[in-house]
């Protein structure tokens, strides 16, 4: 049995902390020796948070109805005609809509969200934000639905898929049934446990290519969070079958951030330039193709994340791109 301090803390957070908080909350609220002004400020802050959240949900609803998540307004302004011709239009579908509705529902669980806020404050002393999300079973990400995956890859199937930086595996599941064997890499130990529980084979980050070659390699919002994105692309080229696909999702504007690094900066820089999303898209495609790939398709969609007490659904602008080996 693992009796390390970190193991004890993890078990406490997962099993005992919810019970302790639930039992202690009335006592805490009734017996804290704070001034009435502080109490009023706390209540006012909570009320303001809820009011702002209601307003945010109205804005979210308008955003969904407008279709702006999937629209490229300045498609004609993209300088590379070859890229323009490979655009694939996506749209909101039932699976994406279900994820949004589920996120809104969960964000309204007041006591659950209060518990999460309390637990995050405690666990942040010992864990990264990614670890905390796994321990608390929160913050699930959504990149593309099953139908969107089929559309972007022309219903591609194969023997082996590996999803690099897979998180809790929720985005991986859109691809899962198209392959006989599904592998993943992930730096977070709590996330790796979730992946294994979902029958995804977790490989060591330094040795994942040894289990190849792969029919598909996916990097869903990895390149802007990895310390060595160029090395990862080079390794993927070697580990991908000649007719295999490389699936990349990239948040634009491009803002690299490495969670595990003290400086939060990558050691390798992708040469992505431009002031607009369209300019950065062209630059990103060129940077990836410079590593030996050829773009097949691309599209725009939202990168969604389960919300909290402050916001129902977090969202960023994502560009999904499909590549093959250069001919």
């Amino acid at each position: 049995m693992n009796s390390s301090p970190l193991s004890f803390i993890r078990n406490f957070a997962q099993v005992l902390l919810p019970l302790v908080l639930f039992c202690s909350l009335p006592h805490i609220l009734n017996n804290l020796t704070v001034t009435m002004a502080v109490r009023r400020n706390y209540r006012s802050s909570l009320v303001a948070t809820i009011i702002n959240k209601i307003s945010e949900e109205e804005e979210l609803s308008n955003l969904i109805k407008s279709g702006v998540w999937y629209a490229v307004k300045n498609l004609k302004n993209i300088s590379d005609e070859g890229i323009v011709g490979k655009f694939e239009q996506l749209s909101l579908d039932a699976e994406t809509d279900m994820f949004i509705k589920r996120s809104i529902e969960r964000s309204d669980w007041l006591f659950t969200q209060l518990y999460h806020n309390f637990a995050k404050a405690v666990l942040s002393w010992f864990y990264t934000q990614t670890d905390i999300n796994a321990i608390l079973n929160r913050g699930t990400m959504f990149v593309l639905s099953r139908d969107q995956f089929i559309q972007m890859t022309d219903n591609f199937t194969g023997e082996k898929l590996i999803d690099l930086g897979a998180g809790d595996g929720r985005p991986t599941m859109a691809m899962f049934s198209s392959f006989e064997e599904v592998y993943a890499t992930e730096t977070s130990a709590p996330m790796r446990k979730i992946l294994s529980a979902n029958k995804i084979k977790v490989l060591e980050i330094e040795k994942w290519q040894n289990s190849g070659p792969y029919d598909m390699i996916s990097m869903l919002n990895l390149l802007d969070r990895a310390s060595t994105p160029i090395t990862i692309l080079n390794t993927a080229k070697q580990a991908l079958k000649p007719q295999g696909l490389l699936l990349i999702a990239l948040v634009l504007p491009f803002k690299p951030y490495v969670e595990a690094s003290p400086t939060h900066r990558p050691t390798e820089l992708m040469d992505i330039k431009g002031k607009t999303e369209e300019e950065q898209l062209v630059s990103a495609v060129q940077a990836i193709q410079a590593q030996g790939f050829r773009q097949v398709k691309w599209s725009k969609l939202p990168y969604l994340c389960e919300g909290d007490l402050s916001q129902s659904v977090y969202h960023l602008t994502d560009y999904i791109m499909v590549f093959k080996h250069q001919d």
Side-chain angles (χ1 to χ4, degrees), residues 159-178:
E159 180 185 358
K160 291 183 178 182
L161 159 73
I162 185 164
D163 190 12
L164 304 180
D168 64 2
R170 175 61 179 81
T172 316
M173 300 312 295
M175 307 176 279
F176 190 96
S177 59
S178 292

Side-chain angles (χ1 to χ4, degrees), residues 38-56 108 110 114 117 309-311:
V38 173
R39 290 178 183 271
R40 286 195 297 270
N41 288 339
Y42 176 78
R43 288 197 297 268
S44 298
S45 176
L46 182 59
V47 171
T49 297
I50 294 174
I51 292 174
N52 289 336
K53 182 167 174 289
I54 293 173
S55 176
E56 178 271 330
D108 288 338
L110 180 60
L114 289 174
N117 287 346
L309 197 59
S310 300
Q311 188 167 330

Side-chain angles (χ1 to χ4, degrees), residues 253-266:
F254 186 67
K255 297 179 180 179
Y257 179 89
V258 182
E259 185 179 48
S261 170
T263 64
H264 300 304
R265 296 176 182 176

Side-chain angles (χ1 to χ4, degrees), residues 103-305:
S103 297
I104 294 174
E105 178 186 348
R106 286 173 62 93
S107 73
D108 288 338
W109 296 350
L110 180 60
F111 288 103
T112 297
Q113 298 302 333
L114 289 174
Y115 155 63
H116 284 169
N117 287 346
F118 173 80
K120 284 191 294 182
V122 175
L123 294 172
S124 62
W125 287 87
F126 311 100
Y127 295 99
T128 66
Q129 184 60 53
T130 301
D131 289 343
I132 293 171
N133 286 342
I135 292 170
L136 298 179
N137 190 28
R138 65 174 301 278
T140 292
M141 306 291 187
F142 186 97
V143 179
L144 76 169
S145 69
R146 173 66 182 167
D147 287 344
Q148 289 167 346
F149 169 77
I150 290 173
Q151 182 178 344
M152 289 299 299
T153 64
D154 296 322
N155 199 18
F156 185 82
T157 60
E159 180 185 358
K160 291 183 178 182
L161 159 73
I162 185 164
D163 190 12
L164 304 180
D168 64 2
R170 175 61 179 81
T172 316
M173 300 312 295
M175 307 176 279
F176 190 96
S177 59
S178 292
F179 300 90
E180 297 175 20
E181 301 175 40
V182 179
Y183 301 85
T185 65
E186 174 55 48
T187 58
S188 167
M191 287 293 186
R192 290 198 296 268
K193 289 187 176 181
I194 296 176
L195 289 167
S196 297
N198 287 328
K199 298 181 180 180
I200 297 173
K201 302 174 184 177
V202 183
L203 303 179
E204 294 299 324
I205 294 176
E206 298 82 5
K207 300 178 180 179
W208 65 267
Q209 64 271 25
N210 296 341
S211 295
Y214 299 95
D215 298 272
M216 175 176 284
I217 299 175
S218 61
M219 306 177 188
L220 304 181
N221 303 297
L222 170 69
L223 295 179
D224 59 346
R225 293 294 179 262
S227 181
T228 57
I230 303 302
T231 298
I232 292 173
L233 286 170
N234 287 333
T235 305
K237 181 184 177 182
Q238 299 171 12
L240 189 65
K241 290 182 179 180
Q243 300 303 316
L245 296 184
L246 173 65
L247 182 66
I248 293 177
L250 191 65
V251 172
L252 296 179
F254 186 67
K255 297 179 180 179
Y257 179 89
V258 182
E259 185 179 48
S261 170
T263 64
H264 300 304
R265 296 176 182 176
T267 57
E268 296 176 353
L269 295 176
M270 292 191 67
D271 188 22
I272 297 179
K273 303 175 182 177
K275 295 181 179 179
T276 67
E277 287 182 13
E278 291 77 20
E279 291 173 343
Q280 288 201 0
L281 171 66
V282 173
S283 183
V285 171
Q286 292 173 346
I288 295 168
Q289 291 188 150
Q291 306 307 316
F293 295 100
R294 172 177 58 87
Q295 189 185 43
V296 179
K297 283 186 182 183
W298 68 277
S299 192
K300 178 186 173 186
L301 40 67
Y303 179 25
L304 305 174
C305 176

Side-chain angles (χ1 to χ4, degrees), residues 25 47 62 69 79 141 217 324-325:
L25 189 58
V47 171
N62 293 332
W69 274 346
S79 58
M141 306 291 187
I217 299 175
K324 287 185 176 181
H325 279 290

